[in-house]
Amino acid sequence: MAKKQLAVILAGLGLIWASSAHAQAWNALNGQQQSVLAPLASQWDGLPQALKAHLLDAAQHYPKMTPAEQENFRARLPEWSKLDPAARKAARENYDKLKNLPPEQREKLKEKLRAQDAPK
């Protein structure tokens, strides 16, 4: 009875995802989630719970992504999972800053970053 009451309270607060996502072992993920998150299969059960919740949310949105966005997601997934929480937070903040720049400034910065990443 107490668990049901807690679930109702958490759902009312919009926090029900936290309790369900935290309990997700790799074997409990559905086929679509396992397919999207396959690069992390071997390390999934050892990932921090907050990261699992974030990744499950991303997996839910994966089918709505463009093919280029899907490719980018899959390519960066292993790197992202290895970042510590502070580095992930910094990456999200940098992404938000980039997203909020005027288009001309955003494009200039992207070109600069591409030049830095280009093989020398």
Side-chain angles (χ1 to χ4, degrees):
M1 181 74 173
K3 280 188 175 182
K4 285 185 178 181
Q5 289 173 334
L6 180 59
V8 169
I9 292 168
L10 289 174
L13 295 173
L15 299 175
I16 193 67
W17 67 269
S19 61
S20 63
H22 292 326
Q24 294 274 348
W26 180 258
N27 295 346
L29 301 183
N30 66 39
Q32 189 261 340
Q33 290 168 323
Q34 286 186 352
S35 175
V36 171
L37 301 170
L40 303 177
S42 64
Q43 52 186 291
W44 179 262
D45 291 333
L47 293 176
Q49 299 302 337
L51 179 56
K52 286 181 184 180
H54 178 75
L55 291 168
L56 287 171
D57 185 51
Q60 181 180 350
H61 291 92
Y62 184 85
K64 299 171 192 154
M65 294 178 188
T66 66
E69 290 170 332
Q70 290 177 350
E71 183 179 328
N72 188 40
F73 177 83
R74 283 191 174 265
R76 294 182 183 259
L77 190 57
E79 296 170 29
W80 182 258
S81 70
K82 293 176 187 172
L83 296 177
D84 62 63
R88 285 193 297 272
K89 181 181 178 188
R92 282 189 202 103
E93 289 171 355
N94 286 337
Y95 175 78
D96 288 341
K97 287 178 188 175
L98 178 65
K99 193 168 68 172
N100 293 322
L101 284 175
E104 291 174 2
Q105 283 183 317
R106 187 178 332 136
E107 197 53 43
K108 284 181 184 179
L109 184 57
K110 284 182 181 180
E111 288 175 21
K112 183 178 177 182
L113 292 171
R114 282 187 209 115
Q116 289 175 352
D117 288 342
K120 296 176 181 179

